[in-house]
């Protein structure tokens, strides 16, 4: 083996491409067909490494860039390593990381439903998931008696003393025991202090997202239960409930103003799903979920999907999904996968409408 | 060989750097000197992989990012993998690909002229080549009795039913037989349907680009013939004929409005070139071509070049070219290589002018 | 070793992540805490290769992309390979390179002070360093009798004949002899010719940066002396002396207008530092420097730091620094590392103020 190839052994390249033909039909009659990225595993390119420091210590890093394989564009035009960008030290008493990191909520997608909480049909995915934050410091414990805990603290980088409380906090506990898995992952953030300019509209409400889950592996497949409670939903140009208050980075520097009255509206999300391995290469599943608007504003939704994965190899999978969702009168939730469709219907064809979605595509991991 | 290096064997990194000193002199007297990227092989960094799935099937992907080696800027600030971003399955009956792909016209550059249809002097290159599109689905047949066929369909991702006809279509046939090669590669796209706002100026004209070519390898070199017919030329701020109607991505989502009256103007391009291998490391060549404005608008051009390639190794080549082009009275064609010069003359020094260009540089492939 | 891994041996991936918790306190009372990138080795990802051409010749390239590990953003949103992007030929009589290259001033950071001329406390770093330019052509001699010389010429890519004199020139000589090292690295650039629009305010003053340095390795550490003379300082929104006249790329195309009257103001910078290796893994150091405003405008500053590096391995280092700087009444110099802090104090908390800075973090090289 050449010296140059050896020199590369500090870095592992990895990633995947996930592209699908997607069709969305609204009960308004509007429809759209597109070649989209990321039914369930957003296309990405990553660089990662582990250095053994001895005595149970390791230095680690990971840099991960999402992109749209249908167009070659970056997932986040402002961040090249938009998905992960961190350096850390693993120790005998747990792992510490610094940088842009996935939330624990995002990380446990595989425990949420049979689609790894992606595809158009996953109601938890449609509701919206806080995925990652800048300036994030995390600690993950070793797994002890089946339990593993994680905490995150993402700095609000602001001058002055009143902003430390506006940091973004995360807490997660995951429990595994043979065929059983269960846990909690949550996030909470307080808005920036009121300013003279926004005093009249400023709210003190924390934005919160709480996620409980439980899985059972029955041998030929799994059953997944998930529950979410959150007030992190707002309106945007795409629909009445198509946006989030606390985005994947709260601009600027992890700080949100606290002036969105939607933070007073809580939603509960309930979802059940299961899959079944028909053959070594073929897995089928079904999912049903409900978003309930606890404020009584009739801004919930319900829906589900059926789907199948066919493994051409460990690295290459074909898949197909048929999905349906019905928005309540004042809701504008949209289908999303691991990434949103590259073109979509207008808000008027989403708000209060029923949506049918078909997805057929390929994932290739490398 | 270390495990980590093995883990990387799913991905191959490749690319090149091509930089040259370029000098352009206009018959107006204006001139400019620059360190430019891409006389003939635009600098790029790529990631590609092939996975054997058995039974004659393979999963494949390719991600390719163009950049300007003189400044470190991306070739396309909006796309990181601007050149290629696709995943595909090769089967015993042909290869299927999904994503952003090179056009077949772009792919057959090596059959068009001795400069691989780049350098300032290539008249076919100067005329402008539709190079690649988003949301593209392609099928390439196996080569049978010397013939290989390819079709592409790039979706116009628009809501509603009237837009499927606005997709971008490609067809290509390539034939090889010993020292002979010949073929056709073409593209056609219909504009978006008329809207209330553009009803008065909307045309139904398809944008088309048809390319015929024939080569003969006489042992010490090759002779190349090329013919292009197209209406894909328009004016822009850089010159009377410096732009294209249907760009490398028709914005938004592969859709152009059909309001450019230049689509009524057809051009024919004729070009002949040849090269001769003087020594194992040294190849020289010459080229001559004409752009004819078939609408009688006197917007054609003619020109050619002489040049030499010196191979320091299989991967590293030095080159030099002397190029000349004369724009007709109403033409503003510009010298271009695999990428345009990083700084250029103003339109007034191009329109109707004669241009002399010198290029000297290096290509290093990795 | 697999064929695919062999195919990669033309390219070596390398880079580092450097993240730290930074705290800045102004004598105004304002303060800020952040997770920042690049105390001393800005996070980066690079691709480089060397091809042996025989007879003492080599083809080489290097592509290097800086990024902020705390957020995943690129260091330069306009350039992917913002740090280095060049191709070159090494010959028995020296090395020639074309493209975006580090300045010689930037390259000799390791000879300037014990922090490699980074960290908040390095006064030479705080003063500002011209780091790299586009369209740069360089030649580096072999080292002969301890001496090595380098010249750079970065083209001002402008039409017409008057601009060649506006190119950016560099000259450097480095001398090593056992434990001694000394040298000079400098840069000079003349502004663009006056235009009708800026005739009244146009100056002919060259922007210059001259850097002398001398080091002595006393066995357990080194002593470093550095002297800088430059007029490349101007005001910007961040402070009275927080900007440079000739930036890392002089826009557009390496050309600056010559209308900034600050080019008449020269500064001298004097700095001394030393380090001591306490143990094989632990190195400590201290630094003191002064910026003198030779125009008498009271726009200088002075300060220093103490710090320590602890090597967990050859590739992974923990570090900590305590830094102080006092701006003169009309100065607004700011702490900077290899990259600036991701959030910072307002200009009013910098101009004329005393600044205390703490840094604690990790560098992991790969």
């Amino acid at each position: 083996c050449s010296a140059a190839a050896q020199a590369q052994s500090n870095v592992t390249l990895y990633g995947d491409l996930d592209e699908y033909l997607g069709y969305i039909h609204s009960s308004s009659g509007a429809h759209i067909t597109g070649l989209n990225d990321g039914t369930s595993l957003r296309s990405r390119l990553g660089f990662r490494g582990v250095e053994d420091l001895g005595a149970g210590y390791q230095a680690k890093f990971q840099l991960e860039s999402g992109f749209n394989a249908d167009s070659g564009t970056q997932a986040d035009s402002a961040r090249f390593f938009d998905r992960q960008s961190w350096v850390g030290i693993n120790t005998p008493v747990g792992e510490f990381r610094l940088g842009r990191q996935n939330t624990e909520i995002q990380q446990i997608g595989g425990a949420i439903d049979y689609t790894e909480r992606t595809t158009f049909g996953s109601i938890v995915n449609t509701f919206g998931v806080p995925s990652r934050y800048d300036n994030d410091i995390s600690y993950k414990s070793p797994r002890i008696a089946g339990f593993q805990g994680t905490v995150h603290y993402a700095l609000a980088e602001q001058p002055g003393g009143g902003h430390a409380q506006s940091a973004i906090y995360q807490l997660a506990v995951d429990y595994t025991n043979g065929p059983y898995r269960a846990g909690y992952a949550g996030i909470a953030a307080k808005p920036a202090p009121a300013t003279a300019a926004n005093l009249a509209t400023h709210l003190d409400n924390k934005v919160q997202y709480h996620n409980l889950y439980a899985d059972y592996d029955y041998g030929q497949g799994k059953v997944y239960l998930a529950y979410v409670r959150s007030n992190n939903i707002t309106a945007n140009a795409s629909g009445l409930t198509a946006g989030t208050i606390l985005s994947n980075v709260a601009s600027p520097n992890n700080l949100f103003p606290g002036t969105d009255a939607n933070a007073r509206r809580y939603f509960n999300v309930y979802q059940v799903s299961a899959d079944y391995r028909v053959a070594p290469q073929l897995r089928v599943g079904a999912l049903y979920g409900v978003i309930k608007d606890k404020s009584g504003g009739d801004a919930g939704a319900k829906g589900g999907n059926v789907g199948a994965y066919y493994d051409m190899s460990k690295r290459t999978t074909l898949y197909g999904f048929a999905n349906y969702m019905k928005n309540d009168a004042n809701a504008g939730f949209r289908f999303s996968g691991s990434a949103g469709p590259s073109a979509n219907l207008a808000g008027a064809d989403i708000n209060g409408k029923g949506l049918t979605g078909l997805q057929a595509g390929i994932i290739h991991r490398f």
Side-chain angles (χ1 to χ4, degrees), chain A:
Chain A
C1 195
S2 77
Q6 289 283 9
Q8 290 177 43
S9 66
N10 294 336
V11 194
T12 300
L13 263 78
Y14 71 93
D16 76 272
L17 289 94
D18 175 356
E19 285 188 85
Y20 67 100
L21 278 165
Y23 170 82
I24 302 174
H25 184 279
S26 165
S27 55
S28 74
H31 54 92
I32 190 165
T33 304
L35 180 66
N36 299 326
D37 188 86
T39 272
S40 63
L41 198 65
R42 152 72 83 181
S43 296
R44 69 196 67 176
L45 174 68
F47 304 84
R48 68 181 169 220
V50 179
E51 181 195 14
D52 194 346
L53 300 170
Y57 287 75
Q58 295 173 307
K60 301 171 75 169
F61 75 94
Q62 190 156 6
L63 302 169
E64 192 174 285
S65 175
F67 63 91
N68 299 303
D70 53 340
S71 63
T73 50
Q74 296 173 209
D76 179 344
S77 62
R79 285 179 178 77
F80 187 68
F81 297 118
D82 63 302
R83 297 183 59 86
Q84 300 191 62
S85 172
W86 55 261
V87 61
I89 299 283
N90 192 17
T91 77
V93 296
E95 184 164 327
F96 299 84
R97 295 180 179 179
L98 298 174
R100 182 164 173 86
Q101 301 179 54
N102 287 323
T103 61
E104 295 306 306
I105 296 162
Q106 200 272 352
Q107 296 279 64
I108 44 89
I112 298 303
D113 65 47
Y114 88 98
T115 71
E116 301 184 54
R117 200 216 38 237
T118 45
T119 71
F120 285 175
S122 170
I123 290 294
V124 173
N125 189 52
T126 295
F127 181 76
V129 175
S131 295
R132 46 191 74 87
Y133 291 94
D134 291 351
N135 306 321
D136 192 20
I137 303 171
S138 72
Y139 164 74
K140 187 182 285 290
S141 80
R143 193 172 286 273
I144 298 171
F147 287 92
Q148 182 167 48
T150 314
V151 289
H152 287 246
Y153 175 90
L155 282 77
E157 294 179 334
Q158 300 292 322
H163 292 282
Q165 56 179 321
S166 306
I168 302 170
Y169 294 86
Q170 294 178 52
L171 172 68
V173 179
D174 185 70
Y175 173 74
T176 55
N177 186 349
Y180 300 96
R181 180 177 184 184
Y184 163 81
I187 194 167
K190 218 178 155 176
T195 66
N198 71 16
L199 203 57
T201 56
H202 188 272
L203 298 92
D204 235 15
N205 298 57
K206 279 187 188 174
V207 166
Q208 302 183 54
Y209 186 104
H210 303 286
N211 192 164
L212 288 167
Y213 56 91
D215 309 337
Y216 173 64
D217 186 336
Y218 65 88
Q220 288 290 100
K222 285 186 189 171
V223 178
Y224 304 81
L225 300 175
Y227 165 76
V228 171
R229 179 170 171 81
S230 177
N231 61 345
N232 189 27
I233 292 291
T234 190
N236 68 16
S238 299
L240 291 169
T241 52
T244 57
I245 299 172
L246 181 67
S247 299
N248 284 340
V249 61
S251 179
N253 294 95
N254 288 340
L255 208 72
F256 65 104
T259 52
D260 189 334
N262 288 306
R264 290 190 175 130
R265 181 177 56 175
Y266 272 84
F267 293 85
N268 285 358
V269 186
Y270 307 91
Q271 187 178 283
V272 57
S273 73
D275 56 11
Y276 174 72
R277 193 162 285 280
V278 177
Q281 289 185 300
L282 179 63
R283 179 166 63 98
V284 297
L287 178 152
Y288 181 75
V290 182
I291 301 169
K292 285 201 182 289
D293 174 1
K294 301 305 287 182
S295 73
D298 205 18
K302 67 189 93 175
N305 79 351
V306 292
Y309 296 90
Y310 178 79
D311 294 328
M312 300 186 79
S313 74
K314 283 195 178 176
R315 291 170 46 205
T316 304
T317 303
L318 304 178
Y319 55 75
F321 298 94
N323 313 277
Y324 179 75
M325 177 176 59
K326 175 71 184 73
N327 275 306
D328 290 348
N330 299 319
F333 291 103
R334 284 174 168 269
F335 283 146
S336 181
S338 181
S342 49
N344 215 321
L345 299 175
D349 297 312
I350 300 291
N351 293 330
K353 298 294 184 295
L355 302 172
T356 306
L358 302 176
Q359 298 173 285
I362 181 170
I363 302 176
H364 176 67
R365 301 164 192 83
F366 60 87

